[in-house]
Amino acid sequence: MASKTFAIKFFSLLISSFAIMKMATAGDPDILSDFVIPPNVTADGNFFTFTGMRSVVRGGIPTAFKVSKAALTEFPALNGQSVSIAVLEFPANTTNPPHIHPRSAELLFLIDGTLQVGFVDTTNKLFTQTLQIGDMFVFPKGLVHFQYNVAAQASAIAVSAFGSANAGTVSIPNTLFNTSIDDNVLALSFKTDVATIQHLKDGLAPKP
């Protein structure tokens, strides 16, 4: 619960990062009005309010890695505003697997615990860092990156800001092994056999 209190105290600091992200790389087209209202929706204070993070700041740490988003799908008022956030909750020894955000950079702010983070550039150079509470790390737009809570017992919480209302997420493991890419293509690409590829796919298959 102490970590939740800490998260609340630092939430205001994250809001200021929106401006930074928008200047760095806005991923959304400009709009020609103050804001965008969906059809049959009333423009009042409720429309511009998102309450979906209440469960995050009031609840306990989940048993598995969890992402709580305030993006275009969850918060329609963000349409055209080129901002969104996500709260990342890491129980001990959990990871946010390698992934890509095709439409925005990501500015991650660690508010509790420690995290190992990193990204790979287009020359296949790996940039890594171990973050402490209060540290920020930027993942450039469109590059493969990850976060990992290596602690055996302690949890970690981070908030990520994006310069797009719809940054998008492409999970590398799921994209490769949980879609319909032919096993032979994957086996040849990874210089292994089809049995190994099928084993990897079985591990990523949705649990019933």
Side-chain angles (χ1 to χ4, degrees), residues 8 15 21 28 36 56 90 105 112 118 126 154 170 200 205:
I8 296 171
I15 301 303
M21 294 300 296
D28 300 338
V36 179
V56 174
F90 298 83
D112 194 39
L126 175 64
V170 179
L200 290 168

Side-chain angles (χ1 to χ4, degrees), residues 8 22-23 28 40-41 59 85 94 102 110 127 133 137 173 179:
I8 296 171
K22 187 167 183 178
M23 287 186 294
D28 300 338
N40 304 317
V41 172
I85 69 167
T94 57
L110 184 64
F127 297 82
I133 293 175
F137 192 88
T179 57

Side-chain angles (χ1 to χ4, degrees), residues 177 183 186-187 190 192-202:
F177 301 110
D183 289 350
L186 293 173
F190 286 92
T192 186
D193 53 64
V194 169
T196 299
I197 297 300
Q198 291 176 342
H199 180 71
L200 290 168
K201 285 186 172 184
D202 288 343

Side-chain angles (χ1 to χ4, degrees), residues 33-97:
S33 58
D34 294 338
F35 40 80
V36 179
I37 303 296
N40 304 317
V41 172
T42 301
D44 58 13
N46 291 323
F47 176 71
F48 296 99
T49 302
F50 182 72
T51 61
M53 295 299 179
R54 291 179 181 177
S55 61
V56 174
V57 297
R58 293 175 181 172
I61 297 297
T63 57
F65 169 71
K66 180 181 178 182
V67 180
S68 301
K69 297 180 179 180
L72 181 60
T73 299
E74 298 80 15
F75 192 9
L78 297 182
N79 190 10
Q81 302 304 318
S82 297
V83 294
S84 60
I85 69 167
V87 177
L88 313 178
E89 298 178 87
F90 298 83
N93 194 34
T94 57
T95 184
N96 186 5

Side-chain angles (χ1 to χ4, degrees), residues 44-206:
D44 58 13
N46 291 323
F47 176 71
F48 296 99
T49 302
F50 182 72
T51 61
M53 295 299 179
R54 291 179 181 177
S55 61
V56 174
V57 297
R58 293 175 181 172
I61 297 297
T63 57
F65 169 71
K66 180 181 178 182
V67 180
S68 301
K69 297 180 179 180
L72 181 60
T73 299
E74 298 80 15
F75 192 9
L78 297 182
N79 190 10
Q81 302 304 318
S82 297
V83 294
S84 60
I85 69 167
V87 177
L88 313 178
E89 298 178 87
F90 298 83
N93 194 34
T94 57
T95 184
N96 186 5
H99 60 282
I100 293 169
H101 301 297
R103 292 181 287 275
S104 176
E106 175 183 356
L107 181 61
L108 181 143
F109 175 47
L110 184 64
I111 57 178
D112 194 39
T114 61
L115 278 181
Q116 290 184 6
V117 300
F119 69 87
V120 179
D121 71 7
T122 55
T123 69
N124 288 328
K125 181 178 180 180
L126 175 64
F127 297 82
T128 62
Q129 185 61 272
T130 299
L131 303 183
Q132 307 296 323
I133 293 175
D135 291 349
M136 289 187 177
F137 192 88
V138 63
F139 303 100
K141 177 180 177 180
L143 297 184
V144 175
H145 59 281
F146 65 90
Q147 300 102 26
Y148 175 38
N149 179 14
V150 69
Q153 296 182 335
S155 59
I157 302 176
V159 181
S160 287
F162 301 91
S164 170
N166 186 22
T169 300
V170 179
S171 168
I172 303 303
N174 282 331
T175 299
L176 291 175
F177 301 110
N178 203 19
T179 57
S180 299
I181 298 177
D182 186 87
D183 289 350
N184 290 298
V185 172
L186 293 173
L188 289 170
S189 299
F190 286 92
K191 296 181 172 55
T192 186
D193 53 64
V194 169
T196 299
I197 297 300
Q198 291 176 342
H199 180 71
L200 290 168
K201 285 186 172 184
D202 288 343
L204 289 168

